[in-house]
Amino acid sequence: MSRDETAAARDTELEKDRARYGLIAVVMSNLAIAGVAVIGVWRLDGDKAVIVGVLTAAFTAVSSMTTAYLGIKAISNTARSIALGSAARREPGHAAPRTSAPDTGTPAPVAGAPAPPPQRAP
């Protein structure tokens, strides 16, 4: 196994661990919030207005935490795939084929574009 393959395998395992432990943290936090809400409702002995407030706050906390985790994870995965894609394009073996004439230092004219104005001599 080459060095690049070993690093890729290590990175994949690290991403799996991050995803696993992040999800465990979110689930445990959600369970803790739900437990506190249940105990709070149980201790309020039927005061409907306060029960609604406690349950609303608990629902908001659970949904916010879950949404934040999923959003951050999605952005992280997208950024990682973009970074890996750009790294593959930079490797010398993956050079894009040339579709134009060799670079002479001046840009080639674009078909259908108006000609630039003549340059003034200094």
Side-chain angles (χ1 to χ4, degrees):
M1 199 181 260
S2 72
R3 227 183 262 171
D4 290 339
E5 291 172 354
T6 304
R10 191 173 40 234
D11 288 345
T12 302
E13 288 300 317
L14 179 63
E15 283 299 316
K16 285 181 183 179
D17 289 342
R18 285 180 180 169
R20 182 179 302 122
Y21 291 121
L23 185 61
I24 288 171
V26 169
V27 169
M28 290 181 66
S29 298
N30 288 347
L31 289 175
I33 292 168
V36 168
V38 167
I39 291 171
V41 167
W42 173 64
R43 299 279 292 162
L44 291 173
D45 295 327
D47 187 2
K48 303 272 190 222
V50 178
I51 289 173
V52 169
V54 168
L55 293 178
T56 301
F59 178 77
T60 302
V62 166
S63 63
S64 297
M65 184 167 312
T66 303
T67 303
Y69 170 75
L70 294 175
I72 291 168
K73 188 66 182 150
I75 290 171
S76 172
N77 289 345
T78 302
R80 186 170 190 270
S81 66
I82 289 172
L84 290 176
S86 65
R89 285 189 296 250
R90 282 183 287 185
E91 291 180 9
H94 296 284
R98 294 186 70 105
T99 58
S100 63
D103 189 16
T104 59
T106 58
V110 177
Q119 299 293 317
R120 287 188 255 172

